[in-house]
Structures are given as structure tokens and as C-alpha cells.
mmCIF file of all heavy atoms in Angstrom:
data_model
loop_
_atom_site.group_PDB
_atom_site.id
_atom_site.type_symbol
_atom_site.label_atom_id
_atom_site.label_comp_id
_atom_site.label_asym_id
_atom_site.label_seq_id
_atom_site.Cartn_x
_atom_site.Cartn_y
_atom_site.Cartn_z
ATOM 1 N N TYR A 1 37.274 -27.139 65.868
ATOM 2 C CA TYR A 1 38.341 -26.150 65.953
ATOM 3 C C TYR A 1 38.497 -25.409 64.624
ATOM 4 O O TYR A 1 38.662 -24.188 64.592
ATOM 5 C CB TYR A 1 39.651 -26.839 66.330
ATOM 6 C CG TYR A 1 40.821 -25.892 66.406
ATOM 7 C CD1 TYR A 1 40.996 -25.078 67.519
ATOM 8 C CD2 TYR A 1 41.740 -25.818 65.369
ATOM 9 C CE1 TYR A 1 42.057 -24.198 67.584
ATOM 10 C CE2 TYR A 1 42.800 -24.938 65.429
ATOM 11 C CZ TYR A 1 42.965 -24.137 66.536
ATOM 12 O OH TYR A 1 44.005 -23.272 66.596
ATOM 13 N N GLN A 2 38.423 -26.164 63.524
ATOM 14 C CA GLN A 2 38.590 -25.550 62.221
ATOM 15 C C GLN A 2 37.428 -24.600 61.903
ATOM 16 O O GLN A 2 37.636 -23.542 61.315
ATOM 17 C CB GLN A 2 38.688 -26.625 61.150
ATOM 18 C CG GLN A 2 38.974 -26.111 59.769
ATOM 19 C CD GLN A 2 39.095 -27.223 58.756
ATOM 20 O OE1 GLN A 2 38.761 -28.366 59.035
ATOM 21 N NE2 GLN A 2 39.567 -26.897 57.578
ATOM 22 N N ALA A 3 36.226 -24.968 62.281
ATOM 23 C CA ALA A 3 35.066 -24.113 62.005
ATOM 24 C C ALA A 3 35.141 -22.805 62.796
ATOM 25 O O ALA A 3 34.674 -21.772 62.325
ATOM 26 C CB ALA A 3 33.778 -24.857 62.333
ATOM 27 N N LYS A 4 35.721 -22.847 63.985
ATOM 28 C CA LYS A 4 35.802 -21.639 64.809
ATOM 29 C C LYS A 4 36.981 -20.753 64.447
ATOM 30 O O LYS A 4 36.886 -19.532 64.509
ATOM 31 C CB LYS A 4 35.922 -22.021 66.286
ATOM 32 C CG LYS A 4 34.672 -22.601 66.864
ATOM 33 C CD LYS A 4 34.891 -22.980 68.310
ATOM 34 C CE LYS A 4 33.674 -23.665 68.885
ATOM 35 N NZ LYS A 4 33.907 -24.127 70.264
ATOM 36 N N ASN A 5 38.117 -21.332 64.079
ATOM 37 C CA ASN A 5 39.355 -20.562 63.999
ATOM 38 C C ASN A 5 39.959 -20.423 62.610
ATOM 39 O O ASN A 5 41.020 -19.840 62.484
ATOM 40 C CB ASN A 5 40.403 -21.197 64.919
ATOM 41 C CG ASN A 5 39.946 -21.196 66.354
ATOM 42 O OD1 ASN A 5 39.265 -20.293 66.790
ATOM 43 N ND2 ASN A 5 40.325 -22.224 67.087
ATOM 44 N N SER A 6 39.327 -20.956 61.583
ATOM 45 C CA SER A 6 39.937 -20.891 60.267
ATOM 46 C C SER A 6 39.491 -19.636 59.526
ATOM 47 O O SER A 6 38.300 -19.407 59.312
ATOM 48 C CB SER A 6 39.575 -22.126 59.442
ATOM 49 O OG SER A 6 40.180 -22.047 58.179
ATOM 50 N N ALA A 7 40.458 -18.836 59.129
ATOM 51 C CA ALA A 7 40.148 -17.620 58.366
ATOM 52 C C ALA A 7 40.114 -17.904 56.868
ATOM 53 O O ALA A 7 39.614 -17.087 56.096
ATOM 54 C CB ALA A 7 41.194 -16.554 58.665
ATOM 55 N N LYS A 8 40.620 -19.059 56.439
ATOM 56 C CA LYS A 8 40.687 -19.377 55.019
ATOM 57 C C LYS A 8 39.401 -20.003 54.477
ATOM 58 O O LYS A 8 39.264 -20.178 53.280
ATOM 59 C CB LYS A 8 41.840 -20.343 54.755
ATOM 60 C CG LYS A 8 43.192 -19.759 55.061
ATOM 61 C CD LYS A 8 44.287 -20.748 54.789
ATOM 62 C CE LYS A 8 45.640 -20.171 55.136
ATOM 63 N NZ LYS A 8 46.719 -21.133 54.924
ATOM 64 N N MET A 9 38.467 -20.346 55.361
ATOM 65 C CA MET A 9 37.231 -20.991 54.921
ATOM 66 C C MET A 9 36.227 -19.943 54.471
ATOM 67 O O MET A 9 36.103 -18.886 55.074
ATOM 68 C CB MET A 9 36.616 -21.812 56.058
ATOM 69 C CG MET A 9 37.428 -22.999 56.459
ATOM 70 S SD MET A 9 36.712 -23.875 57.842
ATOM 71 C CE MET A 9 35.189 -24.418 57.138
ATOM 72 N N ASN A 10 35.487 -20.260 53.412
ATOM 73 C CA ASN A 10 34.398 -19.370 53.033
ATOM 74 C C ASN A 10 33.141 -19.757 53.804
ATOM 75 O O ASN A 10 33.127 -20.719 54.566
ATOM 76 C CB ASN A 10 34.174 -19.395 51.518
ATOM 77 C CG ASN A 10 33.839 -20.771 51.002
ATOM 78 O OD1 ASN A 10 33.405 -21.640 51.750
ATOM 79 N ND2 ASN A 10 34.038 -20.974 49.709
ATOM 80 N N ASP A 11 32.087 -18.994 53.619
ATOM 81 C CA ASP A 11 30.870 -19.202 54.414
ATOM 82 C C ASP A 11 30.200 -20.534 54.119
ATOM 83 O O ASP A 11 29.617 -21.154 55.008
ATOM 84 C CB ASP A 11 29.885 -18.062 54.172
ATOM 85 C CG ASP A 11 30.370 -16.755 54.768
ATOM 86 O OD1 ASP A 11 31.193 -16.820 55.703
ATOM 87 O OD2 ASP A 11 29.933 -15.689 54.298
ATOM 88 N N ILE A 12 30.266 -20.992 52.886
ATOM 89 C CA ILE A 12 29.618 -22.257 52.520
ATOM 90 C C ILE A 12 30.312 -23.433 53.204
ATOM 91 O O ILE A 12 29.655 -24.330 53.744
ATOM 92 C CB ILE A 12 29.615 -22.422 50.982
ATOM 93 C CG1 ILE A 12 28.760 -21.316 50.350
ATOM 94 C CG2 ILE A 12 29.095 -23.796 50.587
ATOM 95 C CD1 ILE A 12 28.858 -21.254 48.856
ATOM 96 N N GLU A 13 31.640 -23.439 53.196
ATOM 97 C CA GLU A 13 32.374 -24.514 53.871
ATOM 98 C C GLU A 13 32.140 -24.485 55.376
ATOM 99 O O GLU A 13 31.962 -25.531 56.000
ATOM 100 C CB GLU A 13 33.870 -24.380 53.583
ATOM 101 C CG GLU A 13 34.250 -24.622 52.149
ATOM 102 C CD GLU A 13 35.688 -24.282 51.865
ATOM 103 O OE1 GLU A 13 36.311 -23.556 52.684
ATOM 104 O OE2 GLU A 13 36.202 -24.728 50.837
ATOM 105 N N ARG A 14 32.132 -23.295 55.958
ATOM 106 C CA ARG A 14 31.897 -23.174 57.393
ATOM 107 C C ARG A 14 30.485 -23.644 57.753
ATOM 108 O O ARG A 14 30.272 -24.319 58.759
ATOM 109 C CB ARG A 14 32.116 -21.734 57.831
ATOM 110 C CG ARG A 14 32.043 -21.556 59.329
ATOM 111 C CD ARG A 14 32.489 -20.178 59.765
ATOM 112 N NE ARG A 14 33.949 -20.114 59.750
ATOM 113 C CZ ARG A 14 34.679 -19.289 59.007
ATOM 114 N NH1 ARG A 14 34.096 -18.430 58.221
ATOM 115 N NH2 ARG A 14 35.990 -19.307 59.055
ATOM 116 N N MET A 15 29.497 -23.319 56.921
ATOM 117 C CA MET A 15 28.124 -23.753 57.179
ATOM 118 C C MET A 15 27.999 -25.270 57.063
ATOM 119 O O MET A 15 27.281 -25.892 57.862
ATOM 120 C CB MET A 15 27.164 -23.080 56.194
ATOM 121 C CG MET A 15 25.718 -23.397 56.456
ATOM 122 S SD MET A 15 25.134 -22.841 58.062
ATOM 123 C CE MET A 15 25.080 -21.094 57.811
ATOM 124 N N ALA A 16 28.692 -25.874 56.117
ATOM 125 C CA ALA A 16 28.647 -27.333 55.982
ATOM 126 C C ALA A 16 29.245 -28.014 57.210
ATOM 127 O O ALA A 16 28.709 -29.027 57.692
ATOM 128 C CB ALA A 16 29.387 -27.763 54.716
ATOM 129 N N LEU A 17 30.348 -27.474 57.732
ATOM 130 C CA LEU A 17 30.927 -28.036 58.953
ATOM 131 C C LEU A 17 30.001 -27.865 60.151
ATOM 132 O O LEU A 17 29.828 -28.787 60.946
ATOM 133 C CB LEU A 17 32.273 -27.376 59.249
ATOM 134 C CG LEU A 17 33.488 -27.983 58.584
ATOM 135 C CD1 LEU A 17 34.731 -27.204 58.949
ATOM 136 C CD2 LEU A 17 33.652 -29.419 58.944
ATOM 137 N N HIS A 18 29.394 -26.687 60.266
ATOM 138 C CA HIS A 18 28.472 -26.459 61.381
ATOM 139 C C HIS A 18 27.267 -27.393 61.293
ATOM 140 O O HIS A 18 26.771 -27.866 62.316
ATOM 141 C CB HIS A 18 28.012 -25.005 61.420
ATOM 142 C CG HIS A 18 28.980 -24.086 62.072
ATOM 143 N ND1 HIS A 18 29.311 -24.178 63.409
ATOM 144 C CD2 HIS A 18 29.709 -23.054 61.585
ATOM 145 C CE1 HIS A 18 30.194 -23.251 63.710
ATOM 146 N NE2 HIS A 18 30.461 -22.553 62.610
ATOM 147 N N MET A 19 26.792 -27.680 60.089
ATOM 148 C CA MET A 19 25.657 -28.588 59.939
ATOM 149 C C MET A 19 26.027 -30.002 60.372
ATOM 150 O O MET A 19 25.236 -30.685 61.035
ATOM 151 C CB MET A 19 25.162 -28.577 58.490
ATOM 152 C CG MET A 19 24.410 -27.313 58.134
ATOM 153 S SD MET A 19 23.945 -27.205 56.396
ATOM 154 C CE MET A 19 23.072 -28.712 56.151
ATOM 155 N N ALA A 20 27.230 -30.452 60.022
ATOM 156 C CA ALA A 20 27.662 -31.791 60.433
ATOM 157 C C ALA A 20 27.842 -31.872 61.947
ATOM 158 O O ALA A 20 27.470 -32.868 62.571
ATOM 159 C CB ALA A 20 28.966 -32.163 59.728
ATOM 160 N N ILE A 21 28.372 -30.817 62.533
ATOM 161 C CA ILE A 21 28.591 -30.801 63.980
ATOM 162 C C ILE A 21 27.255 -30.738 64.723
ATOM 163 O O ILE A 21 27.033 -31.474 65.684
ATOM 164 C CB ILE A 21 29.510 -29.623 64.362
ATOM 165 C CG1 ILE A 21 30.914 -29.848 63.807
ATOM 166 C CG2 ILE A 21 29.563 -29.440 65.868
ATOM 167 C CD1 ILE A 21 31.805 -28.626 63.873
ATOM 168 N N GLU A 22 26.337 -29.868 64.269
ATOM 169 C CA GLU A 22 25.033 -29.774 64.918
ATOM 170 C C GLU A 22 24.231 -31.050 64.765
ATOM 171 O O GLU A 22 23.511 -31.450 65.680
ATOM 172 C CB GLU A 22 24.255 -28.591 64.346
ATOM 173 C CG GLU A 22 24.764 -27.248 64.802
ATOM 174 C CD GLU A 22 24.001 -26.104 64.177
ATOM 175 O OE1 GLU A 22 22.929 -26.350 63.588
ATOM 176 O OE2 GLU A 22 24.483 -24.966 64.276
ATOM 177 N N ASP A 23 24.352 -31.696 63.611
ATOM 178 C CA ASP A 23 23.656 -32.958 63.401
ATOM 179 C C ASP A 23 24.137 -34.021 64.388
ATOM 180 O O ASP A 23 23.351 -34.835 64.872
ATOM 181 C CB ASP A 23 23.880 -33.433 61.960
ATOM 182 C CG ASP A 23 23.028 -34.617 61.596
ATOM 183 O OD1 ASP A 23 21.882 -34.683 62.077
ATOM 184 O OD2 ASP A 23 23.504 -35.471 60.828
ATOM 185 N N PHE A 24 25.419 -33.983 64.706
ATOM 186 C CA PHE A 24 25.949 -34.929 65.686
ATOM 187 C C PHE A 24 25.386 -34.643 67.077
ATOM 188 O O PHE A 24 24.938 -35.547 67.777
ATOM 189 C CB PHE A 24 27.480 -34.856 65.722
ATOM 190 C CG PHE A 24 28.087 -35.633 66.843
ATOM 191 C CD1 PHE A 24 28.188 -37.005 66.768
ATOM 192 C CD2 PHE A 24 28.549 -35.002 67.988
ATOM 193 C CE1 PHE A 24 28.748 -37.734 67.803
ATOM 194 C CE2 PHE A 24 29.103 -35.714 69.022
ATOM 195 C CZ PHE A 24 29.204 -37.087 68.924
ATOM 196 N N TYR A 25 25.399 -33.381 67.498
ATOM 197 C CA TYR A 25 24.972 -33.044 68.858
ATOM 198 C C TYR A 25 23.464 -33.158 69.060
ATOM 199 O O TYR A 25 23.004 -33.288 70.184
ATOM 200 C CB TYR A 25 25.460 -31.655 69.258
ATOM 201 C CG TYR A 25 26.915 -31.647 69.611
ATOM 202 C CD1 TYR A 25 27.833 -30.927 68.871
ATOM 203 C CD2 TYR A 25 27.394 -32.384 70.678
ATOM 204 C CE1 TYR A 25 29.178 -30.924 69.194
ATOM 205 C CE2 TYR A 25 28.733 -32.399 71.002
ATOM 206 C CZ TYR A 25 29.617 -31.665 70.252
ATOM 207 O OH TYR A 25 30.950 -31.675 70.572
ATOM 208 N N GLU A 26 22.668 -33.095 67.985
ATOM 209 C CA GLU A 26 21.223 -33.228 68.115
ATOM 210 C C GLU A 26 20.766 -34.680 68.094
ATOM 211 O O GLU A 26 19.600 -34.951 68.372
ATOM 212 C CB GLU A 26 20.531 -32.449 67.001
ATOM 213 C CG GLU A 26 20.670 -30.949 67.150
ATOM 214 C CD GLU A 26 20.065 -30.186 66.000
ATOM 215 O OE1 GLU A 26 19.578 -30.826 65.044
ATOM 216 O OE2 GLU A 26 20.093 -28.946 66.050
ATOM 217 N N ALA A 27 21.638 -35.611 67.782
ATOM 218 C CA ALA A 27 21.258 -37.026 67.705
ATOM 219 C C ALA A 27 21.163 -37.629 69.104
ATOM 220 O O ALA A 27 21.738 -37.118 70.069
ATOM 221 C CB ALA A 27 22.294 -37.795 66.876
ATOM 222 N N ASN A 28 20.423 -38.728 69.195
ATOM 223 C CA ASN A 28 20.359 -39.446 70.465
ATOM 224 C C ASN A 28 21.632 -40.290 70.633
ATOM 225 O O ASN A 28 22.545 -40.210 69.813
ATOM 226 C CB ASN A 28 19.099 -40.307 70.534
ATOM 227 C CG ASN A 28 19.030 -41.322 69.417
ATOM 228 O OD1 ASN A 28 19.943 -41.423 68.623
ATOM 229 N ND2 ASN A 28 17.936 -42.051 69.343
ATOM 230 N N PHE A 29 21.692 -41.095 71.666
ATOM 231 C CA PHE A 29 22.918 -41.840 71.977
ATOM 232 C C PHE A 29 23.320 -42.771 70.831
ATOM 233 O O PHE A 29 24.483 -42.790 70.423
ATOM 234 C CB PHE A 29 22.740 -42.638 73.263
ATOM 235 C CG PHE A 29 23.947 -43.444 73.633
ATOM 236 C CD1 PHE A 29 25.072 -42.831 74.153
ATOM 237 C CD2 PHE A 29 23.968 -44.818 73.440
ATOM 238 C CE1 PHE A 29 26.192 -43.563 74.473
ATOM 239 C CE2 PHE A 29 25.076 -45.555 73.760
ATOM 240 C CZ PHE A 29 26.194 -44.934 74.282
ATOM 241 N N ALA A 30 22.366 -43.531 70.322
ATOM 242 C CA ALA A 30 22.689 -44.464 69.228
ATOM 243 C C ALA A 30 23.138 -43.713 67.981
ATOM 244 O O ALA A 30 24.052 -44.145 67.273
ATOM 245 C CB ALA A 30 21.480 -45.342 68.922
ATOM 246 N N GLY A 31 22.511 -42.580 67.715
ATOM 247 C CA GLY A 31 22.918 -41.777 66.565
ATOM 248 C C GLY A 31 24.320 -41.228 66.707
ATOM 249 O O GLY A 31 25.081 -41.158 65.738
ATOM 250 N N LYS A 32 24.683 -40.843 67.935
ATOM 251 C CA LYS A 32 26.045 -40.343 68.164
ATOM 252 C C LYS A 32 27.070 -41.454 67.979
ATOM 253 O O LYS A 32 28.141 -41.237 67.405
ATOM 254 C CB LYS A 32 26.159 -39.745 69.559
ATOM 255 C CG LYS A 32 25.455 -38.427 69.693
ATOM 256 C CD LYS A 32 25.614 -37.841 71.065
ATOM 257 C CE LYS A 32 24.855 -36.530 71.139
ATOM 258 N NZ LYS A 32 24.949 -35.898 72.429
#
């Protein structure tokens, strides 16, 4: 929610959040 709707975040912080979120969704069941 914060990555999509926060106007106070700069691009570096938003990219770090997106990387953590994508890393979660690309993992297999045990990784999740």
C-alpha cells in the first residue's frame, strides 16, 4: 500500500520496497 500510494517517498525508497515485494512473490512456497 505504501509503495503504491505514498507521495512522500523518493524513487530509491520506492524501488527498494518494490524489490522486497517482488522477491517475495517470485519465491517458491518454502521461500514465501
Side-chain angles (χ1 to χ4, degrees):
Y1 179 78
Q2 185 179 12
K4 289 179 184 176
N5 299 326
S6 180
K8 296 180 182 178
M9 293 177 64
N10 59 21
D11 290 337
I12 296 171
E13 293 171 343
R14 186 170 282 119
M15 184 62 72
L17 273 179
H18 278 295
M19 286 175 54
I21 293 168
E22 287 178 13
D23 189 35
F24 171 77
Y25 283 116
E26 291 176 357
N28 59 3
F29 179 74
K32 287 182 181 180

